[in-house]
Amino acid sequence: MSRQSQGGAKPRRSENRSAEAGRLVVVANRLPVRQVGGTDEKPRWRISPGGLVTALAPMLRERGGTWVGWAGDMGRTYRPFTQDGIRCRPVALEADLFEGFYQGFSNSTLWPLYHDAVRPPEFHRHWWRPYVEANERFAKAAAGQVKDGDIVWVHDYQLQLVPRMIRELKPETRIGFFNHIPFPPEELFAQLPWRRSILEGLLGADVIGFQTKQNAQNFSRAARRHTSARGSDTELVFEGRRVQSRAFPISIDTADFERSAASEEVVARAKELRALMAGRKVILGVDRLDYTKGIDIRFRSFEEALRRKSVTAENSVLVQIAVPSRADVGEYVNERDEIERLVGRINGTYGQPGKVAVHYLYRSVPREELLAFYLASDVLMVTPFRDGMNLVAKEYVATRLDDTGVLVLSEFAGAAHELRGAILVNPHDIDGMADALEQAISLPDDEATRRMAAMRRVVRRHDVYRWSDSFLDTLIHATQPNWD
Ligand code: ADQ
C-alpha cells in the first residue's frame, strides 16, 4: 500500500526536505523483489511485500534512485531493471561466496553474537574473507549508482563494512546505516576477532541508526574502546568526521494493517477460526522459526501452566505459526527438532480426543490469514531472548480495532520500550512466564482494553513512515566540518 493511497495524507517532512538532497540509493542484502517466472534473459519479477519496501518505495518513486541488493539466486547475473517504479541494481553472489558471507559470517557469527550469544557464535577466518568480498561487491555496485548530491542508506548487519567502502569511493556522499538487529554490549562484541574492521566500516556513515538507545550506546562505547573515535554516546568524531549514533525504532504501516483488519475477508476468516476453537482461550505465537525467538521456552511455559492445571486443553489452545527460515543452518535444524519434540510431548501428555493443546503450523501464511489469526486470538505471546524490535507485536496491536486482546511480551524485545501496556516477561523464567500467561487469560476486560488502547495509540502515532522520515531527515541535515 503506497503512501499516496492513504486518503490524501499531507506530504511528510522528508518529502519536502528531500528536495534539498538528491536521489536515494538503498543498499540491502535483498532486493525488494522476487522472480516469478520468465526466462534467463527476460526474468519476470514481483515486489515482495514488507515494511521496508512500503516505507521506502514512495521516496524511491518520487525522488528517483536505486535499490542495490541480491536477487536471491546464486550465481546468476541480472541486468538492472525497474519494477513497479523502483529501479533495481542486482548484485551477483556465487554459491561459495554466499555460503561464507551469508550462511557463515552473517548468520552463524554475527546473528548469534548480536543476540546476546544465545547460541555460541562461530569465528572462522574462512567466513570473514567472503564477508569482506561480498561487502565490496555491494559497495562498488552502490557507488556506481551514486551521483553528486545523492544520499545512500545501507541496511543491516550483513553490510556493516559498506559505509566505509562507499566513503572511500565517493567521499562526499551522505551515508546512513540502519541496524535492524540489536547491537550487543561492548563486553560481548569484544569477542569478535574483526571488531575493529566492523566498527570502522560502520563509522564510514554520517548517521548510524539502531532500534533502541541502548543499542546506540553499545555501539558508541565499542567504537570508543576499539577505534580512534572519540565523543559521546550519540555523537562521535572519527578521522575528522562527525558520526551520529542514534535510536530510530522501526514500525509498521499501521493504517494499512487497520484497513486490512476491518476487511470483510479477514473478519469472516477470523470468525471461522474462532468457531474451530470455540469455547477456548486462543493463545497465539507467530515467528520466523529462529532460536532467538524463544518459541521453545514459550511452549515450556504453556506446559507448566498445563501441569499446574490453571490451563487445560478443554479451556485453552496454543496456536504456533512458525515460518521456515535458514533451514540450511545447523542450529536452525536443531531448533526445529526441539520445537517439534516439545509439541509432541505436550500434546501427548495433555491433549484430549478432538482437542489438541498445541496447534503447530510450520509454514508461511498469507497476510490475510495471518491477520485473521491475530483477530481470532485472545493472547499473543512474543517471547524472544533478544530481538531488535519485533514487528509481530506491533502488527497484533494495530489489528485489535476494538481494543481487546492481551500482549505478553519479552522485556528483551526492542518493542518492549514502546509497548508498555503489554504484560512484560523475562523469557529465561519459565515459571514467571506461566504466571504471565495465567494473568493474561484472566485479565479483566476493562484492564485489557485500557492496556490495548494505550498500545494502539503508540503504533498509530509512530508508524513506518515516521521511522523512515525521521531517519532520512536526520541524514539530510547531518553536517560535516568540511561541508560547512
Ligand atoms: P525478523 O527477525 O524477521 O526481523 P519481525 O520483526 O518479527 O522479525 O518481523 C517478522 C515479519 O514476518 C512480520 O512482518 C510478520 O508478519 C512476518 N511473519 C512472521 N511469521 C510469519 C508467518 N508464519 N507467516 C507469514 N508471515 C510471518 C528483523 C529483526 C526484528 C526487526 C525487523 C525489522 O530481527 O527485530 O523488528 O527486522 O527491523
Side-chain angles (χ1 to χ4, degrees), residues 111 180-181 211 250 286-288 293 321-323 363-365 370 374 387-392 395:
W111 181 268
H180 289 257
I181 70 171
Q211 302 278 23
I250 200 168
V286 174
D287 315 76
R288 267 191 313 104
K293 301 287 182 186
I321 309 176
V323 68
R363 68 198 72 150
S364 177
V365 298
L370 181 65
Y374 286 156
D387 213 334
M389 177 52 62
N390 196 290
L391 296 180
V392 169
E395 292 169 4

PDB file of all heavy atoms in Angstrom, residues 111 180-181 211 250 286-288 293 321-323 363-365 370 374 387-392 395, ligand 1:
ATOM      1  N   TRP A 111      24.879 -13.064  13.739  1.00  0.00           N
ATOM      2  CA  TRP A 111      23.498 -13.187  14.265  1.00  0.00           C
ATOM      3  C   TRP A 111      23.492 -13.663  15.723  1.00  0.00           C
ATOM      4  O   TRP A 111      22.926 -12.992  16.593  1.00  0.00           O
ATOM      5  CB  TRP A 111      22.662 -14.084  13.345  1.00  0.00           C
ATOM      6  CG  TRP A 111      21.244 -14.243  13.794  1.00  0.00           C
ATOM      7  CD1 TRP A 111      20.762 -15.239  14.609  1.00  0.00           C
ATOM      8  CD2 TRP A 111      20.127 -13.391  13.505  1.00  0.00           C
ATOM      9  NE1 TRP A 111      19.412 -15.058  14.834  1.00  0.00           N
ATOM     10  CE2 TRP A 111      18.998 -13.934  14.166  1.00  0.00           C
ATOM     11  CE3 TRP A 111      19.971 -12.222  12.752  1.00  0.00           C
ATOM     12  CZ2 TRP A 111      17.727 -13.344  14.095  1.00  0.00           C
ATOM     13  CZ3 TRP A 111      18.703 -11.646  12.673  1.00  0.00           C
ATOM     14  CH2 TRP A 111      17.606 -12.204  13.349  1.00  0.00           C
ATOM     15  N   HIS A 180      19.029  -3.460  11.815  1.00  0.00           N
ATOM     16  CA  HIS A 180      17.692  -3.956  12.186  1.00  0.00           C
ATOM     17  C   HIS A 180      17.734  -4.873  13.402  1.00  0.00           C
ATOM     18  O   HIS A 180      16.718  -5.116  14.037  1.00  0.00           O
ATOM     19  CB  HIS A 180      17.070  -4.698  10.998  1.00  0.00           C
ATOM     20  CG  HIS A 180      16.679  -3.775   9.888  1.00  0.00           C
ATOM     21  ND1 HIS A 180      15.384  -3.403   9.660  1.00  0.00           N
ATOM     22  CD2 HIS A 180      17.424  -3.121   8.953  1.00  0.00           C
ATOM     23  CE1 HIS A 180      15.338  -2.565   8.629  1.00  0.00           C
ATOM     24  NE2 HIS A 180      16.565  -2.384   8.184  1.00  0.00           N
ATOM     25  N   ILE A 181      18.913  -5.405  13.679  1.00  0.00           N
ATOM     26  CA  ILE A 181      19.023  -6.326  14.823  1.00  0.00           C
ATOM     27  C   ILE A 181      19.736  -5.588  15.963  1.00  0.00           C
ATOM     28  O   ILE A 181      20.238  -4.482  15.759  1.00  0.00           O
ATOM     29  CB  ILE A 181      19.732  -7.650  14.407  1.00  0.00           C
ATOM     30  CG1 ILE A 181      21.208  -7.428  14.111  1.00  0.00           C
ATOM     31  CG2 ILE A 181      19.032  -8.275  13.194  1.00  0.00           C
ATOM     32  CD1 ILE A 181      21.994  -8.735  13.912  1.00  0.00           C
ATOM     33  N   GLN A 211      17.760   0.284  16.806  1.00  0.00           N
ATOM     34  CA  GLN A 211      16.364   0.155  17.247  1.00  0.00           C
ATOM     35  C   GLN A 211      16.136   0.813  18.611  1.00  0.00           C
ATOM     36  O   GLN A 211      15.046   1.287  18.887  1.00  0.00           O
ATOM     37  CB  GLN A 211      15.972  -1.329  17.345  1.00  0.00           C
ATOM     38  CG  GLN A 211      16.120  -2.128  16.051  1.00  0.00           C
ATOM     39  CD  GLN A 211      14.940  -1.966  15.118  1.00  0.00           C
ATOM     40  OE1 GLN A 211      14.212  -0.991  15.181  1.00  0.00           O
ATOM     41  NE2 GLN A 211      14.755  -2.939  14.238  1.00  0.00           N
ATOM     42  N   ILE A 250      11.959   1.102  14.577  1.00  0.00           N
ATOM     43  CA  ILE A 250      11.195   0.828  13.347  1.00  0.00           C
ATOM     44  C   ILE A 250       9.744   0.508  13.695  1.00  0.00           C
ATOM     45  O   ILE A 250       9.434   0.153  14.839  1.00  0.00           O
ATOM     46  CB  ILE A 250      11.857  -0.320  12.535  1.00  0.00           C
ATOM     47  CG1 ILE A 250      11.409  -0.282  11.070  1.00  0.00           C
ATOM     48  CG2 ILE A 250      11.564  -1.668  13.166  1.00  0.00           C
ATOM     49  CD1 ILE A 250      12.238  -1.179  10.162  1.00  0.00           C
ATOM     50  N   VAL A 286       3.554 -16.192  16.671  1.00  0.00           N
ATOM     51  CA  VAL A 286       3.862 -16.026  15.235  1.00  0.00           C
ATOM     52  C   VAL A 286       5.317 -15.594  15.129  1.00  0.00           C
ATOM     53  O   VAL A 286       5.697 -14.529  15.628  1.00  0.00           O
ATOM     54  CB  VAL A 286       2.970 -14.934  14.592  1.00  0.00           C
ATOM     55  CG1 VAL A 286       3.404 -14.656  13.149  1.00  0.00           C
ATOM     56  CG2 VAL A 286       1.498 -15.313  14.635  1.00  0.00           C
ATOM     57  N   ASP A 287       6.130 -16.426  14.504  1.00  0.00           N
ATOM     58  CA  ASP A 287       7.557 -16.079  14.412  1.00  0.00           C
ATOM     59  C   ASP A 287       8.185 -16.743  13.193  1.00  0.00           C
ATOM     60  O   ASP A 287       7.696 -17.768  12.739  1.00  0.00           O
ATOM     61  CB  ASP A 287       8.362 -16.652  15.600  1.00  0.00           C
ATOM     62  CG  ASP A 287       7.717 -16.466  16.935  1.00  0.00           C
ATOM     63  OD1 ASP A 287       6.743 -17.194  17.249  1.00  0.00           O
ATOM     64  OD2 ASP A 287       8.182 -15.613  17.690  1.00  0.00           O
ATOM     65  N   ARG A 288       9.299 -16.181  12.733  1.00  0.00           N
ATOM     66  CA  ARG A 288      10.205 -16.975  11.914  1.00  0.00           C
ATOM     67  C   ARG A 288      10.752 -18.044  12.843  1.00  0.00           C
ATOM     68  O   ARG A 288      10.980 -17.772  14.025  1.00  0.00           O
ATOM     69  CB  ARG A 288      11.387 -16.111  11.446  1.00  0.00           C
ATOM     70  CG  ARG A 288      11.222 -15.465  10.135  1.00  0.00           C
ATOM     71  CD  ARG A 288      12.510 -14.849   9.606  1.00  0.00           C
ATOM     72  NE  ARG A 288      13.205 -14.054  10.581  1.00  0.00           N
ATOM     73  CZ  ARG A 288      14.307 -14.464  11.224  1.00  0.00           C
ATOM     74  NH1 ARG A 288      14.836 -15.660  10.993  1.00  0.00           N
ATOM     75  NH2 ARG A 288      14.891 -13.672  12.095  1.00  0.00           N
ATOM     76  N   LYS A 293      13.899 -16.418  19.003  1.00  0.00           N
ATOM     77  CA  LYS A 293      12.508 -16.003  19.215  1.00  0.00           C
ATOM     78  C   LYS A 293      11.872 -16.633  20.460  1.00  0.00           C
ATOM     79  O   LYS A 293      10.745 -16.294  20.815  1.00  0.00           O
ATOM     80  CB  LYS A 293      11.660 -16.323  17.979  1.00  0.00           C
ATOM     81  CG  LYS A 293      12.147 -15.634  16.701  1.00  0.00           C
ATOM     82  CD  LYS A 293      11.862 -14.137  16.691  1.00  0.00           C
ATOM     83  CE  LYS A 293      12.312 -13.485  15.379  1.00  0.00           C
ATOM     84  NZ  LYS A 293      12.171 -12.029  15.389  1.00  0.00           N
ATOM     85  N   ILE A 321       2.348 -20.375  14.748  1.00  0.00           N
ATOM     86  CA  ILE A 321       2.670 -20.319  13.319  1.00  0.00           C
ATOM     87  C   ILE A 321       4.150 -19.999  13.224  1.00  0.00           C
ATOM     88  O   ILE A 321       4.607 -18.956  13.701  1.00  0.00           O
ATOM     89  CB  ILE A 321       1.864 -19.222  12.592  1.00  0.00           C
ATOM     90  CG1 ILE A 321       0.383 -19.355  12.905  1.00  0.00           C
ATOM     91  CG2 ILE A 321       2.100 -19.304  11.094  1.00  0.00           C
ATOM     92  CD1 ILE A 321      -0.469 -18.250  12.310  1.00  0.00           C
ATOM     93  N   ALA A 322       4.903 -20.934  12.622  1.00  0.00           N
ATOM     94  CA  ALA A 322       6.356 -20.753  12.530  1.00  0.00           C
ATOM     95  C   ALA A 322       6.749 -20.765  11.065  1.00  0.00           C
ATOM     96  O   ALA A 322       6.551 -21.769  10.372  1.00  0.00           O
ATOM     97  CB  ALA A 322       7.074 -21.861  13.286  1.00  0.00           C
ATOM     98  N   VAL A 323       7.277 -19.663  10.603  1.00  0.00           N
ATOM     99  CA  VAL A 323       7.656 -19.596   9.187  1.00  0.00           C
ATOM    100  C   VAL A 323       9.064 -20.160   9.013  1.00  0.00           C
ATOM    101  O   VAL A 323       9.975 -19.833   9.773  1.00  0.00           O
ATOM    102  CB  VAL A 323       7.495 -18.157   8.636  1.00  0.00           C
ATOM    103  CG1 VAL A 323       8.469 -17.188   9.228  1.00  0.00           C
ATOM    104  CG2 VAL A 323       7.594 -18.112   7.133  1.00  0.00           C
ATOM    105  N   ARG A 363       4.870 -23.097   8.500  1.00  0.00           N
ATOM    106  CA  ARG A 363       4.688 -22.565   7.156  1.00  0.00           C
ATOM    107  C   ARG A 363       4.536 -21.043   7.224  1.00  0.00           C
ATOM    108  O   ARG A 363       4.218 -20.491   8.269  1.00  0.00           O
ATOM    109  CB  ARG A 363       3.445 -23.167   6.494  1.00  0.00           C
ATOM    110  CG  ARG A 363       2.146 -22.715   7.138  1.00  0.00           C
ATOM    111  CD  ARG A 363       0.984 -23.610   6.779  1.00  0.00           C
ATOM    112  NE  ARG A 363       1.110 -24.879   7.461  1.00  0.00           N
ATOM    113  CZ  ARG A 363       0.050 -25.619   7.830  1.00  0.00           C
ATOM    114  NH1 ARG A 363      -1.173 -25.249   7.528  1.00  0.00           N
ATOM    115  NH2 ARG A 363       0.213 -26.754   8.466  1.00  0.00           N
ATOM    116  N   SER A 364       4.735 -20.433   6.059  1.00  0.00           N
ATOM    117  CA  SER A 364       4.426 -19.019   5.945  1.00  0.00           C
ATOM    118  C   SER A 364       2.945 -18.944   5.586  1.00  0.00           C
ATOM    119  O   SER A 364       2.475 -19.728   4.778  1.00  0.00           O
ATOM    120  CB  SER A 364       5.284 -18.431   4.831  1.00  0.00           C
ATOM    121  OG  SER A 364       4.959 -17.090   4.663  1.00  0.00           O
ATOM    122  N   VAL A 365       2.206 -18.052   6.186  1.00  0.00           N
ATOM    123  CA  VAL A 365       0.787 -17.960   5.832  1.00  0.00           C
ATOM    124  C   VAL A 365       0.543 -16.630   5.117  1.00  0.00           C
ATOM    125  O   VAL A 365       1.231 -15.646   5.387  1.00  0.00           O
ATOM    126  CB  VAL A 365      -0.145 -18.091   7.070  1.00  0.00           C
ATOM    127  CG1 VAL A 365       0.009 -19.436   7.734  1.00  0.00           C
ATOM    128  CG2 VAL A 365       0.101 -16.967   8.062  1.00  0.00           C
ATOM    129  N   LEU A 370      -2.871 -14.455   8.244  1.00  0.00           N
ATOM    130  CA  LEU A 370      -2.137 -14.038   9.438  1.00  0.00           C
ATOM    131  C   LEU A 370      -2.976 -13.045  10.258  1.00  0.00           C
ATOM    132  O   LEU A 370      -3.105 -13.157  11.482  1.00  0.00           O
ATOM    133  CB  LEU A 370      -0.809 -13.395   9.012  1.00  0.00           C
ATOM    134  CG  LEU A 370       0.115 -12.924  10.121  1.00  0.00           C
ATOM    135  CD1 LEU A 370       0.605 -14.102  10.953  1.00  0.00           C
ATOM    136  CD2 LEU A 370       1.314 -12.167   9.549  1.00  0.00           C
ATOM    137  N   TYR A 374      -4.521 -13.088  14.053  1.00  0.00           N
ATOM    138  CA  TYR A 374      -4.372 -12.012  15.046  1.00  0.00           C
ATOM    139  C   TYR A 374      -5.738 -11.681  15.658  1.00  0.00           C
ATOM    140  O   TYR A 374      -5.881 -11.529  16.864  1.00  0.00           O
ATOM    141  CB  TYR A 374      -3.815 -10.738  14.403  1.00  0.00           C
ATOM    142  CG  TYR A 374      -2.333 -10.748  14.050  1.00  0.00           C
ATOM    143  CD1 TYR A 374      -1.829  -9.900  13.050  1.00  0.00           C
ATOM    144  CD2 TYR A 374      -1.418 -11.557  14.709  1.00  0.00           C
ATOM    145  CE1 TYR A 374      -0.481  -9.871  12.720  1.00  0.00           C
ATOM    146  CE2 TYR A 374      -0.068 -11.536  14.379  1.00  0.00           C
ATOM    147  CZ  TYR A 374       0.397 -10.687  13.382  1.00  0.00           C
ATOM    148  OH  TYR A 374       1.737 -10.660  13.060  1.00  0.00           O
ATOM    149  N   ASP A 387      15.604  -9.401  20.629  1.00  0.00           N
ATOM    150  CA  ASP A 387      15.027  -9.070  19.317  1.00  0.00           C
ATOM    151  C   ASP A 387      15.248  -7.590  19.085  1.00  0.00           C
ATOM    152  O   ASP A 387      15.055  -6.783  20.011  1.00  0.00           O
ATOM    153  CB  ASP A 387      13.513  -9.363  19.339  1.00  0.00           C
ATOM    154  CG  ASP A 387      12.977  -9.833  17.989  1.00  0.00           C
ATOM    155  OD1 ASP A 387      13.586  -9.480  16.972  1.00  0.00           O
ATOM    156  OD2 ASP A 387      11.958 -10.542  17.974  1.00  0.00           O
ATOM    157  N   GLY A 388      15.658  -7.220  17.862  1.00  0.00           N
ATOM    158  CA  GLY A 388      15.895  -5.809  17.571  1.00  0.00           C
ATOM    159  C   GLY A 388      14.659  -4.991  17.909  1.00  0.00           C
ATOM    160  O   GLY A 388      14.686  -4.092  18.746  1.00  0.00           O
ATOM    161  N   MET A 389      13.530  -5.318  17.250  1.00  0.00           N
ATOM    162  CA  MET A 389      12.272  -4.647  17.544  1.00  0.00           C
ATOM    163  C   MET A 389      11.194  -5.692  17.842  1.00  0.00           C
ATOM    164  O   MET A 389      10.692  -5.807  18.921  1.00  0.00           O
ATOM    165  CB  MET A 389      11.856  -3.770  16.346  1.00  0.00           C
ATOM    166  CG  MET A 389      10.519  -3.069  16.510  1.00  0.00           C
ATOM    167  SD  MET A 389      10.360  -2.123  18.029  1.00  0.00           S
ATOM    168  CE  MET A 389      11.643  -0.910  17.844  1.00  0.00           C
ATOM    169  N   ASN A 390      10.808  -6.455  16.844  1.00  0.00           N
ATOM    170  CA  ASN A 390       9.710  -7.420  16.754  1.00  0.00           C
ATOM    171  C   ASN A 390       8.448  -6.739  16.238  1.00  0.00           C
ATOM    172  O   ASN A 390       7.693  -6.092  16.971  1.00  0.00           O
ATOM    173  CB  ASN A 390       9.396  -8.157  18.056  1.00  0.00           C
ATOM    174  CG  ASN A 390       8.540  -9.395  17.732  1.00  0.00           C
ATOM    175  OD1 ASN A 390       7.380  -9.253  17.360  1.00  0.00           O
ATOM    176  ND2 ASN A 390       9.129 -10.557  17.787  1.00  0.00           N
ATOM    177  N   LEU A 391       8.248  -6.909  14.950  1.00  0.00           N
ATOM    178  CA  LEU A 391       7.109  -6.272  14.284  1.00  0.00           C
ATOM    179  C   LEU A 391       5.816  -7.033  14.499  1.00  0.00           C
ATOM    180  O   LEU A 391       4.735  -6.454  14.411  1.00  0.00           O
ATOM    181  CB  LEU A 391       7.398  -6.123  12.789  1.00  0.00           C
ATOM    182  CG  LEU A 391       8.572  -5.199  12.468  1.00  0.00           C
ATOM    183  CD1 LEU A 391       8.805  -5.105  10.971  1.00  0.00           C
ATOM    184  CD2 LEU A 391       8.346  -3.803  13.050  1.00  0.00           C
ATOM    185  N   VAL A 392       5.909  -8.334  14.794  1.00  0.00           N
ATOM    186  CA  VAL A 392       4.689  -9.120  15.039  1.00  0.00           C
ATOM    187  C   VAL A 392       3.897  -8.479  16.184  1.00  0.00           C
ATOM    188  O   VAL A 392       2.677  -8.336  16.107  1.00  0.00           O
ATOM    189  CB  VAL A 392       5.051 -10.596  15.350  1.00  0.00           C
ATOM    190  CG1 VAL A 392       3.845 -11.361  15.857  1.00  0.00           C
ATOM    191  CG2 VAL A 392       5.613 -11.268  14.104  1.00  0.00           C
ATOM    192  N   GLU A 395       2.178  -5.440  14.843  1.00  0.00           N
ATOM    193  CA  GLU A 395       1.095  -5.807  13.912  1.00  0.00           C
ATOM    194  C   GLU A 395      -0.144  -6.255  14.685  1.00  0.00           C
ATOM    195  O   GLU A 395      -1.272  -5.885  14.347  1.00  0.00           O
ATOM    196  CB  GLU A 395       1.568  -6.933  12.977  1.00  0.00           C
ATOM    197  CG  GLU A 395       2.640  -6.487  11.995  1.00  0.00           C
ATOM    198  CD  GLU A 395       3.305  -7.637  11.251  1.00  0.00           C
ATOM    199  OE1 GLU A 395       2.891  -8.806  11.433  1.00  0.00           O
ATOM    200  OE2 GLU A 395       4.250  -7.377  10.501  1.00  0.00           O
TER     201      GLU A 395
HETATM  202  P1  ADQ B   1      12.550 -10.560  11.953  1.00  0.00           P
HETATM  203  O1  ADQ B   1      13.505 -11.257  12.852  1.00  0.00           O
HETATM  204  O2  ADQ B   1      12.193 -11.302  10.724  1.00  0.00           O
HETATM  205  O3  ADQ B   1      13.065  -9.087  11.560  1.00  0.00           O
HETATM  206  P2  ADQ B   1       9.939  -9.411  12.956  1.00  0.00           P
HETATM  207  O4  ADQ B   1      10.231  -8.000  13.263  1.00  0.00           O
HETATM  208  O5  ADQ B   1       9.021 -10.046  13.936  1.00  0.00           O
HETATM  209  O6  ADQ B   1      11.226 -10.326  12.888  1.00  0.00           O
HETATM  210  O7  ADQ B   1       9.265  -9.473  11.509  1.00  0.00           O
HETATM  211  C1  ADQ B   1       8.747 -10.678  11.016  1.00  0.00           C
HETATM  212  C2  ADQ B   1       7.775 -10.414   9.867  1.00  0.00           C
HETATM  213  O8  ADQ B   1       7.450 -11.674   9.274  1.00  0.00           O
HETATM  214  C3  ADQ B   1       6.475  -9.799  10.347  1.00  0.00           C
HETATM  215  O9  ADQ B   1       6.078  -8.795   9.446  1.00  0.00           O
HETATM  216  C4  ADQ B   1       5.474 -10.964  10.341  1.00  0.00           C
HETATM  217  O10 ADQ B   1       4.166 -10.598   9.982  1.00  0.00           O
HETATM  218  C5  ADQ B   1       6.038 -11.894   9.297  1.00  0.00           C
HETATM  219  N1  ADQ B   1       5.778 -13.299   9.698  1.00  0.00           N
HETATM  220  C6  ADQ B   1       6.240 -13.916  10.799  1.00  0.00           C
HETATM  221  N2  ADQ B   1       5.792 -15.186  10.845  1.00  0.00           N
HETATM  222  C7  ADQ B   1       5.032 -15.368   9.758  1.00  0.00           C
HETATM  223  C8  ADQ B   1       4.301 -16.471   9.221  1.00  0.00           C
HETATM  224  N3  ADQ B   1       4.272 -17.674   9.808  1.00  0.00           N
HETATM  225  N4  ADQ B   1       3.661 -16.298   8.056  1.00  0.00           N
HETATM  226  C9  ADQ B   1       3.702 -15.111   7.422  1.00  0.00           C
HETATM  227  N5  ADQ B   1       4.362 -14.046   7.871  1.00  0.00           N
HETATM  228  C10 ADQ B   1       5.039 -14.162   9.010  1.00  0.00           C
HETATM  229  C11 ADQ B   1      14.266  -8.319  11.803  1.00  0.00           C
HETATM  230  C12 ADQ B   1      14.659  -8.169  13.280  1.00  0.00           C
HETATM  231  C13 ADQ B   1      13.491  -7.611  14.083  1.00  0.00           C
HETATM  232  C14 ADQ B   1      13.042  -6.279  13.476  1.00  0.00           C
HETATM  233  C15 ADQ B   1      12.827  -6.404  11.970  1.00  0.00           C
HETATM  234  C16 ADQ B   1      12.581  -5.055  11.304  1.00  0.00           C
HETATM  235  O11 ADQ B   1      15.073  -9.428  13.815  1.00  0.00           O
HETATM  236  O12 ADQ B   1      13.858  -7.428  15.445  1.00  0.00           O
HETATM  237  O13 ADQ B   1      11.831  -5.884  14.081  1.00  0.00           O
HETATM  238  O14 ADQ B   1      13.950  -6.987  11.327  1.00  0.00           O
HETATM  239  O15 ADQ B   1      13.611  -4.156  11.592  1.00  0.00           O
END
